[in-house]
Amino acid sequence: MRYAVLGDIHSNLAAFEAVLQDIESRGRFDKIWCLGDVVGYGPEPRECIELLRNYDHVCVAGNHDWAAIGKLSTSDFNPVAARACHWTAQQLSPEDIDYLQQLPLSICQDDFTLVHGSPREPIWEYLLGSETAQDNFAYFETPYCLVGHSHVPLIFELFEGVAIYRVFPEGDSLTLAENRLIINPGAVGQPRDGDPRASYAVYDTDNQTVSHYRVEYDIAATQKKMMERGLPLPLIARLSRGW
Ligand code: ZN
């Protein structure tokens, strides 16, 4: 089986379509494992939900998914994120709201636990350093965990009780072995590691590998749609910088 592991689509349809095309160009895949934040920030929330639902998939809830349906207050969001969230809320159909409403906080698939932020705090916690990651290994049962939320492709590996982290380089294939892992495939719709290309991973059960890929998409097309919809300028500009 081959699983498309992706998250933080953030209403960026052009990026999501480019990722799906890129995966298919590398071979058939069986299912999408989505790590949350389908909506928020970008110009096409409904289209992204619809495209995801066209595929066999599982998806966990992200903070933006909850905020868009009023399940989470935007008081902790920065002002531009909150503005985009209120715009997103106005676009969603009742079916979209039902879909986002039923997303679970955590899902187990094979040897993996899927969450948005962290196993300990699936909605809010960012895993960006070894200490936080080390604590989080106690909060899931499976050997491996997949996270999103930080929009940065990273690997946390537990060596004899100590978590070590490293960036997950493009084109790298990580072979699953004894050591427990927390893996972030990066963001589809709003990368924040200085590389503006969409980021995702593929889990291949035959080889027991997780491979990381980047793909260019039409950033200008997404930015144009954001302008037309009056979304905040800082959110439009950051897509070009990947930050
Ligand atoms: Zn996100």
Side-chain angles (χ1 to χ4, degrees):
M1 299 280 266
R2 290 176 84 244
Y3 296 102
V5 180
L6 52 89
D8 297 288
I9 298 164
H10 281 298
S11 307
N12 190 338
L13 184 67
F16 188 20
E17 287 176 338
V19 162
L20 293 173
Q21 276 171 21
D22 196 58
I23 302 172
E24 275 160 1
S25 76
R26 296 172 194 281
R28 180 190 56 82
F29 70 95
D30 298 284
K31 194 166 180 173
I32 296 175
W33 289 358
C34 177
L35 302 171
D37 279 4
V38 182
V39 301
Y41 294 134
E44 290 171 294
R46 297 199 58 179
E47 293 81 353
C48 287
I49 294 171
E50 188 184 347
L51 183 56
L52 179 61
R53 295 185 72 180
N54 281 343
Y55 286 86
D56 187 8
H57 76 284
V58 293
C59 183
V60 291
N63 52 318
H64 285 263
D65 303 318
W66 271 17
I69 56 171
K71 207 167 172 173
L72 186 74
S73 156
T74 54
S75 57
D76 287 331
F77 279 40
N78 67 51
V80 291
R83 259 183 63 201
C85 179
H86 295 137
W87 177 85
T88 301
Q90 290 162 10
Q91 315 307 313
L92 299 175
S93 69
E95 292 76 21
D96 297 331
I97 293 167
D98 286 347
Y99 174 76
L100 297 176
Q101 184 74 39
Q102 57 77 42
L103 295 177
L105 289 176
S106 145
I107 296 174
C108 285
Q109 295 276 292
D110 297 351
D111 284 339
F112 289 85
T113 299
L114 281 60
V115 292
H116 180 62
S118 77
R120 177 170 58 188
E121 277 289 337
I123 289 293
W124 274 119
E125 188 172 42
Y126 288 93
L127 288 186
L128 282 165
S130 299
E131 272 185 40
T132 322
Q134 187 157 324
D135 296 343
N136 267 282
F137 277 100
Y139 289 81
F140 64 101
E141 308 277 322
T142 53
Y144 316 114
C145 177
L146 295 163
V147 301
H149 195 42
S150 71
H151 302 199
V152 178
L154 291 173
I155 300 165
F156 301 91
E157 184 163 4
L158 199 60
F159 286 100
E160 295 170 0
V162 179
I164 310 285
Y165 88 97
R166 59 187 188 274
V167 297
F168 196 174
E170 178 188 0
D172 198 28
S173 262
L174 181 66
T175 302
L176 301 173
E178 297 264 300
N179 289 336
R180 298 183 75 203
L181 299 163
I182 300 174
I183 302 167
N184 188 326
V188 171
Q190 194 203 73
R192 292 181 192 160
D193 62 340
D195 183 339
R197 295 174 301 163
S199 185
Y200 72 95
V202 173
Y203 167 43
D204 186 321
T205 60
D206 291 344
N207 305 330
Q208 282 297 296
T209 53
V210 178
S211 306
H212 176 221
Y213 300 105
R214 301 301 284 251
V215 60
E216 287 185 11
Y217 73 95
D218 193 344
I219 295 173
T222 295
Q223 289 173 319
K224 183 165 177 285
K225 286 176 184 163
M226 291 173 79
M227 290 287 282
E228 287 164 1
R229 288 150 176 75
L231 285 160
L233 286 174
L235 297 179
I236 298 171
R238 71 185 302 174
L239 292 180
S240 309
R241 300 195 299 268
W243 195 250

